[in-house]
Amino acid sequence: MSASLKTNFLGFDYENPFMNASGVHCMSTTELDELANSKAGAFITKSSTPNDRTGNPSPRYVSVPLGSINSMGLPNKGIDYYLDYVLDRQAKYPNEAPIFFSVAGMSVDDNLSMLHKIQNSNFNGVTELNLSCPNVPGKPQVAYDFELTIEILTKVFDFFKKPLGIKLPPYFDFAHFEIMSDILNKFPLTYVNSINSVGNGLYIDVEKESVVIKPKNGFGGIGGEYVKPTALANVRAFYTRLNPSIKIIGTGGIKSGQDAFEHLLCGATMLQIGTELQKEGVSIFDRVTKELQEIMDKKGYKTIDEFRGKLNSL
């Protein structure tokens, strides 16, 4: 009998731990339907802002040999578009596994107003607050500003009573893992999603002696194979520091079943795929589930829980 990829998250059994990363293949209802009908265990909406945004000028996303570089600028159709979609889907498919809903305001007030809207709606899925977007020009992104992170989460949990996770940027210092974990452990978070892209990389076209994306003079977030070691480190660092009630969604550099296995070994419960989904389309979920199952069968694991988080040290 083949290994089971069933994953329990918030009391619901998902068929497998795989999802899209917010921002990839989730802009329109058509793309969201394709995710819902794919082999992905769950899916998440495009990070929404209070109103629709066209985002940054193109080219703003470029596939490069070991991943991608992007500076999208949060293009999306606005919170009402996605909220209408998820509420409609809930009504049509009441037994479907809960949907993930992402918000990423351009300011603290944006985030609070959108979370109020979700709190007051009939949405019964999981909300993800993206704290790894830039906030104020001249300031670091929110999750690199520890005082602002405390302020936002305090305000959010004053009124928000539904399941809430947060998306984090990568951290690179043990001191920052410690500080952020101490902050997050004070709040009733459902999960931490780690990592968003590694910020402000630069990719160069040698033939043209030029950058490859237009916004920010070519500086953009790096994703794909480039970031997997950083993603694994962040998943592991938070898994070993956060309260066990706060689950980890592992994101970054997943393009094969082996990559998925490594994220799970580090302690992730769910897994999001971004760059490779952009390159391959929703058929990737069929491939990576089979590859993960083959690895588990070869190792004699019947369930993911048998090895999740059990990474050995030397």
Side-chain angles (χ1 to χ4, degrees):
M1 194 170 137
S2 266
S4 167
L5 299 188
K6 270 202 170 34
T7 300
N8 190 277
F9 191 83
L10 278 186
F12 292 93
D13 276 333
Y14 292 87
E15 283 303 309
N16 63 65
F18 293 104
M19 305 170 60
N20 64 304
S22 180
V24 183
H25 208 94
C26 54
M27 175 73 98
S28 66
T29 55
T30 303
E31 288 184 327
L32 289 165
D33 280 341
E34 286 171 0
L35 286 171
N37 295 322
S38 75
K39 292 289 188 194
F43 67 93
I44 187 166
T45 61
K46 184 84 176 71
S47 292
S48 57
T49 50
N51 301 299
D52 64 319
R53 284 175 58 86
T54 53
N56 290 337
S58 294
R60 58 192 185 182
Y61 180 101
V62 174
S63 286
V64 294
L66 291 177
S68 61
I69 181 168
N70 86 88
S71 178
M72 299 297 290
L74 273 177
N76 74 98
K77 294 179 183 288
I79 186 172
D80 292 339
Y81 178 90
Y82 301 106
L83 198 52
D84 287 347
Y85 173 82
V86 296
L87 293 175
D88 183 54
R89 190 156 186 100
Q90 274 179 195
K92 280 184 187 164
Y93 307 102
N95 298 320
E96 190 172 65
I99 298 168
F100 289 71
F101 193 97
S102 175
V103 294
M106 304 304 285
S107 68
V108 176
D109 287 343
D110 275 2
N111 283 325
L112 295 176
S113 71
M114 288 190 289
L115 291 173
H116 271 292
K117 184 171 273 196
I118 294 167
Q119 177 64 35
N120 295 332
S121 75
N122 291 323
F123 178 59
N124 61 14
V126 190
T127 304
E128 179 168 289
L129 173 60
N130 189 341
L131 292 183
S132 52
C133 276
N135 186 38
V136 179
K139 290 271 196 178
Q141 48 180 298
V142 174
Y144 287 150
D145 184 332
F146 298 121
E147 288 177 6
L148 183 58
T149 299
I150 294 168
E151 180 191 327
I152 290 176
L153 292 178
T154 301
K155 287 177 176 173
V156 166
F157 284 110
D158 274 349
F159 69 89
F160 199 82
K161 306 303 176 194
K162 295 182 177 183
L164 182 80
I166 56 168
K167 177 103 177 245
L168 293 178
Y171 296 93
F172 302 96
D173 195 293
F174 278 110
H176 294 157
F177 291 136
E178 299 288 350
I179 293 165
M180 199 60 182
S181 297
D182 286 346
I183 291 169
L184 300 179
N185 279 333
K186 291 181 170 69
F187 296 96
L189 287 162
T190 299
Y191 71 86
V192 163
N193 183 350
S194 190
I195 57 171
N196 206 333
S197 56
V198 173
N200 294 321
L202 196 65
Y203 192 86
I204 292 171
D205 180 331
V206 172
E207 291 301 313
K208 295 179 181 172
E209 300 182 14
S210 162
V211 299
V212 296
I213 57 172
K214 185 167 185 175
K216 294 169 65 177
N217 294 315
F219 283 74
I222 302 296
E225 290 177 72
Y226 293 112
V227 308
K228 189 179 78 165
T230 300
L232 293 174
N234 276 259
V235 167
R236 188 62 182 168
F238 283 115
Y239 178 76
T240 54
R241 287 168 175 79
L242 291 177
N243 297 331
S245 59
I246 303 176
K247 303 300 180 197
I248 312 284
I249 295 182
T251 308
I254 299 175
K255 65 180 288 189
S256 70
Q258 180 179 316
D259 300 327
F261 186 85
E262 290 173 18
H263 267 270
L264 295 166
L265 201 58
C266 284
T269 294
M270 302 286 279
L271 306 169
Q272 291 186 356
I273 303 178
T275 295
E276 206 58 31
L277 170 60
Q278 181 74 28
K279 291 183 178 185
E280 204 170 313
V282 295
S283 63
I284 188 173
F285 294 112
D286 190 40
R287 178 174 67 76
V288 292
T289 50
K290 285 175 181 164
E291 289 174 358
L292 176 58
Q293 211 159 28
E294 283 167 8
I295 290 170
M296 289 171 63
D297 286 343
K298 192 173 171 185
K299 288 177 169 286
Y301 291 124
K302 294 286 181 243
T303 68
I304 290 171
D305 284 338
E306 290 174 25
F307 64 90
R308 182 200 324 287
K310 296 180 180 174
L311 180 67
N312 292 312
S313 293
L314 298 182

